[in-house]
């Protein structure tokens, strides 16, 4: 396929590219039923976009308390797709588009999670998974340091607030940039990968002038190395492996 050899991009582009990809899928095809997994209180699509495109927008999350705090106009279900006991009979082959937004890194059992995603995806539907990857500086620290310390670092150096965007346990299983081995792993799970983008660098230190200067130099080095193993974020677009991809 050769996707792992593609030029990687700056991490600042990742959020915009993901947003454009979701909206192009919605606007470019016969998409009506769309599912976001793991949205909690913050579903990604805004009400106006959903209304303008007459979308049937559903959210799954494992936390009923988080779902109850949402102010968006969505149907919501407390469902854990990573559980072997997940009951999905009413959702089989239901959705034209399924997406996640910084969720995969928190999934403890990715093989079950992806199997269940494919069960509820329509035959010609598309999946988009956007996630943090395993071997960037900040994710390595997140794995090595005590969780209490990483919690403090996140809220010290980022603009996110705990009461609106909390931090959750991350495992980073199957969370890599567009490497040949990860493409093979995902296709072995039943996906047909259509696109796989990786993004390098990070911008966590922009509140601190000296640290930010060091961070920018590190980001330039990452772009020169251009290794998918060193991505900070990535996302892939896929269909069911046996569905038509033309």
């Amino acid at each position: 396929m050769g996707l792992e050899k593609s030029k990687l991009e700056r991490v600042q582009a990742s959020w915009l590219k993901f947003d454009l990809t979701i909206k192009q899928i919605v606007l470019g095809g016969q998409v009506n039923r769309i599912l976001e997994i793991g949205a909690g209180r913050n579903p990604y699509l805004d009400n106006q976009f959903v209304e303008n495109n007459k979308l049937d927008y559903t959210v799954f999350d494992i936390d009923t308390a988080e779902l109850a705090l949402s102010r968006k106009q969505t149907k919501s279900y407390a469902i854990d797709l990573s559980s072997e006991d997940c009951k999905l009979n009413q959702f089989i082959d239901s959705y034209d588009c399924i997406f996640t937004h910084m969720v995969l890194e928190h999934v403890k059992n990715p093989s079950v999670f992806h199997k269940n995603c494919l069960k509820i995806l329509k035959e010609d539907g598309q999946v988009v998974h956007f996630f943090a990857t395993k071997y960037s500086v900040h994710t390595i620290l997140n794995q090595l340091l005590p969780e209490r310390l990483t919690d403090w670092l996140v809220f010290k150096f980022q603009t996110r607030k705990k009461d609106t965007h909390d931090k959750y346990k991350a495992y980073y299983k199957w969370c890599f940039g567009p490497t040949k081995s990860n493409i093979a792993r995902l296709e072995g799970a039943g996906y047909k990968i259509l696109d796989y983008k990786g993004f390098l660098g990070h911008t966590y230190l922009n509140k601190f002038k000296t640290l930010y200067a060091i961070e920018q130099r590190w980001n330039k080095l990452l772009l020169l190395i251009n290794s998918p193993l060193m991505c900070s974020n990535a996302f892939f677009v896929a269909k069911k492996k046996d569905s038509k991809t033309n």
Side-chain angles (χ1 to χ4, degrees):
M1 179 178 294
L3 287 173
E4 73 279 4
K5 297 179 181 178
S6 63
K7 183 72 173 176
L8 303 174
E9 300 179 64
R10 293 177 182 272
V11 74
Q12 293 95 322
S14 63
W15 307 94
L16 176 60
K17 291 290 179 71
F18 169 75
D19 187 71
L20 289 173
T21 298
I22 293 294
K23 290 176 180 176
Q24 285 170 354
I25 289 172
V26 171
L27 299 175
Q30 298 298 314
V31 173
N32 174 251
R33 301 195 71 190
I34 189 165
L35 170 68
E36 182 179 2
I37 301 167
R41 72 179 71 182
N42 297 307
Y44 185 79
L45 298 178
D46 63 57
N47 290 338
Q48 186 173 355
F49 181 80
V50 171
E51 292 171 4
N52 288 348
N53 292 282
K54 297 180 173 61
L55 298 178
D56 183 349
Y57 184 25
T58 301
V59 166
F60 287 2
D61 197 277
I62 64 174
D63 191 331
T64 54
E66 280 290 307
L67 290 172
L69 292 171
S70 174
R71 297 181 180 180
K72 298 287 182 72
Q73 298 171 9
T74 61
K75 292 183 290 186
S76 61
Y77 299 88
I79 293 177
D80 182 1
L81 289 179
S82 66
S83 170
E84 293 276 9
D85 300 324
C86 184
K87 307 299 182 186
L88 294 172
N89 290 343
Q90 73 184 96
F91 303 109
I92 299 298
D93 298 323
S94 288
Y95 297 103
D96 302 299
C97 178
I98 297 172
F99 73 95
T100 62
H101 180 254
M102 292 295 161
V103 169
L104 288 194
E105 62 267 33
H106 304 289
V107 173
K108 196 171 184 177
N109 194 344
S111 60
V112 173
F113 179 89
H114 290 300
K115 178 182 72 174
N116 284 329
C117 279
L118 289 166
K119 280 183 181 179
I120 59 180
L121 182 68
K122 286 185 179 179
E123 203 59 37
D124 290 317
Q126 293 189 61
V127 170
V128 187
H129 291 301
F130 181 33
F131 49 93
T133 54
K134 189 169 186 176
Y135 293 131
S136 65
V137 173
H138 54 287
T139 53
I140 290 173
L141 290 175
N142 196 31
Q143 294 168 81
L144 294 177
L145 296 177
E147 192 160 356
R148 181 178 295 181
L149 177 56
T150 59
D151 285 357
W152 179 83
L153 289 170
V154 163
F155 295 108
K156 173 70 174 177
F157 288 98
Q158 296 184 27
T159 56
R160 64 199 273 183
K161 296 181 179 179
K162 189 175 180 65
D163 59 345
T164 58
H165 191 181
D166 206 353
K167 180 178 176 292
Y168 299 97
K169 175 71 175 176
Y171 304 97
Y172 303 104
K173 295 184 177 181
W174 297 24
C175 290
F176 302 92
T179 63
K180 186 175 182 179
S181 60
N182 211 45
I183 292 168
R185 181 184 291 116
L186 291 164
E187 294 206 326
Y191 289 115
K192 175 63 178 177
I193 303 297
L194 305 180
D195 193 15
Y196 201 144
K197 296 187 184 299
F199 303 88
L200 293 165
H202 46 82
T203 56
Y204 287 131
L205 305 177
N206 55 2
K207 294 196 296 183
F208 307 90
K209 187 175 180 180
T210 302
L211 292 176
Y212 183 60
I214 295 171
E215 180 180 56
Q216 291 298 92
R217 289 186 176 90
W218 173 248
N219 289 345
K220 288 179 181 179
L221 178 61
L222 290 175
L223 289 167
L224 287 174
I225 296 171
N226 195 46
S227 169
L229 279 175
M230 301 179 77
C231 288
S232 294
N233 296 341
F235 72 79
F236 67 85
V237 183
K239 287 190 173 184
K240 290 186 180 183
K241 197 169 186 179
D242 59 350
S243 66
K244 296 177 183 179
T245 58
N246 295 328

